[in-house]
Amino acid sequence: DSPLLEKSLNFATAIVLFYEQFSKTRKDTTIAKQLLRSATSIGANLNEAVYGNSKADFVSKLHIALKETGESIYWLTLLKRTNLIEYSYDALLHDADEIKRMLISSLKTAKQ
């Protein structure tokens, strides 16, 4: 019952739905595919962290999730700037930023 896991799953769901909409309107989905990969990887790494073998493994998976969050923010920002399709990018960016802040806080706690 982790708020971070729930938030990451909600974010991944929103990105999957975004990708479906994007792919119906654009032929080249390279950037959107990159976003899909990084955004869905956040929750996958958090799940792996929960079932990690050690504290070091847990921290490592949180770091990977944080990197994937940063990458997702990059792709979302690029999509917003290019405006290839009209979409509420700000809501997705807000969610990604919340996840980033939660991950940073979790890493600080885990390292203590």
Side-chain angles (χ1 to χ4, degrees):
D1 294 339
S2 163
L4 183 53
L5 279 170
E6 184 65 26
K7 189 128 193 94
S8 68
L9 183 58
N10 290 341
F11 180 66
T13 302
I15 295 298
V16 168
L17 295 173
F18 163 79
Y19 180 79
E20 288 302 312
Q21 184 177 341
F22 188 93
S23 64
K24 288 177 184 172
T25 61
R26 306 293 303 182
K27 286 187 180 182
D28 185 2
T29 59
T30 305
I31 297 169
K33 279 183 186 174
Q34 290 291 112
L35 172 61
L36 182 66
R37 286 186 192 106
S38 63
T40 55
S41 179
I42 298 166
N45 279 288
L46 288 173
N47 265 322
E48 286 187 42
V50 169
Y51 296 103
N53 296 329
S54 64
K55 184 177 177 179
D57 189 31
F58 178 79
V59 170
S60 174
K61 295 299 181 188
L62 288 183
H63 271 290
I64 294 168
L66 181 58
K67 288 179 182 182
E68 296 294 339
T69 304
E71 184 177 338
S72 296
I73 290 169
Y74 174 82
W75 295 123
L76 280 168
T77 302
L78 183 59
L79 284 163
K80 180 181 176 182
R81 286 185 180 188
T82 58
N83 201 30
L84 295 173
I85 68 168
E86 285 192 35
Y87 201 84
S88 179
Y89 295 104
D90 289 337
L92 293 173
L93 283 163
H94 174 77
D95 289 346
D97 190 59
E98 278 189 2
I99 292 168
K100 180 181 79 174
R101 285 187 272 116
M102 292 171 81
L103 280 165
I104 290 168
S105 177
S106 294
L107 277 163
K108 286 179 182 176
T109 301
K111 288 178 180 180
Q112 290 177 349

